[in-house]
Amino acid sequence: MKKNRVGLLAGAVLVLVTVVAAAIHLTGRISPAEGALYIEKDGRSTELAISDMALEPVRGTVVNGKGETRSIDGRGFPLAALLERVEMQADRQVTVTADDEYSAVVTAEELAAPDKVYLIAQEEDGVQLVVFGDANSKRNVSNVVRVTVE
């Protein structure tokens, strides 16, 4: 009987710890206004509406880890143009983070390369990072909410 009570108590404590950890994790996420992104550098941040950016046709091919190709045909803008718009030069690497905290790093050299790194506007008002030329498309981040210049 005592073993059952100890087991129930341990289970209740585990559930409570899980709930508290989940609440802390979820409240710590950045959630910009719909159709906007947070851009951060050196402790300074700004929010920018995607509609403020000039969208241009973006076409190319990405490759996944299995070597399968997928065509990209959409409208978007270079990531470097986004940083210029908010007057933040990408002189270092940039981390692009999704709403689920998945992130990818883009180097300053990649940002400077023409037709390499884009943010593609999605039909659901979200944004996807696309890095053309990667051997594996793991850096294609969907539902981007934050861009951090490091």
Side-chain angles (χ1 to χ4, degrees):
M1 193 76 127
K2 262 190 170 182
K3 286 185 180 181
N4 285 343
R5 287 184 185 165
V6 170
L8 286 174
L9 180 61
V13 168
L14 182 58
V15 167
L16 180 62
V17 167
T18 302
V19 168
V20 169
I24 290 170
H25 175 71
L26 292 174
T27 58
R29 287 186 179 179
I30 288 181
S31 184
E34 189 173 326
L37 296 172
Y38 277 121
I39 301 95
E40 303 173 341
K41 181 180 179 182
D42 298 331
R44 189 179 117 210
S45 66
T46 188
E47 187 173 297
L48 179 72
I50 303 303
S51 61
D52 289 346
M53 296 299 298
L55 298 180
E56 59 187 61
V58 178
R59 291 186 179 88
T61 304
V62 293
V63 181
N64 68 17
K66 297 177 186 176
E68 302 166 335
T69 60
R70 179 173 60 96
S71 293
I72 301 291
D73 186 5
R75 296 187 58 74
F77 47 90
L79 178 55
L82 170 79
L83 297 173
E84 288 174 17
R85 174 93 164 106
V86 295
E87 300 176 357
M88 289 185 188
Q89 293 300 317
D91 52 352
R92 297 168 279 183
Q93 73 181 17
V94 173
T95 301
V96 178
T97 306
D99 61 352
D100 64 358
E101 295 300 316
Y102 181 79
S103 64
V105 173
V106 178
T107 66
E109 293 80 19
E110 290 172 316
L111 287 168
D115 301 324
K116 174 88 174 165
V117 183
Y118 285 91
L119 290 173
I120 309 291
Q122 303 290 288
E123 289 178 17
E124 314 81 44
D125 292 328
V127 176
Q128 177 183 11
L129 170 72
V130 175
V131 182
F132 292 111
D134 278 355
N136 187 344
S137 59
K138 287 184 179 179
R139 292 195 295 172
N140 291 353
V141 178
S142 296
N143 300 318
V144 173
V145 294
R146 183 174 65 242
V147 175
T148 307
V149 181
E150 300 173 5

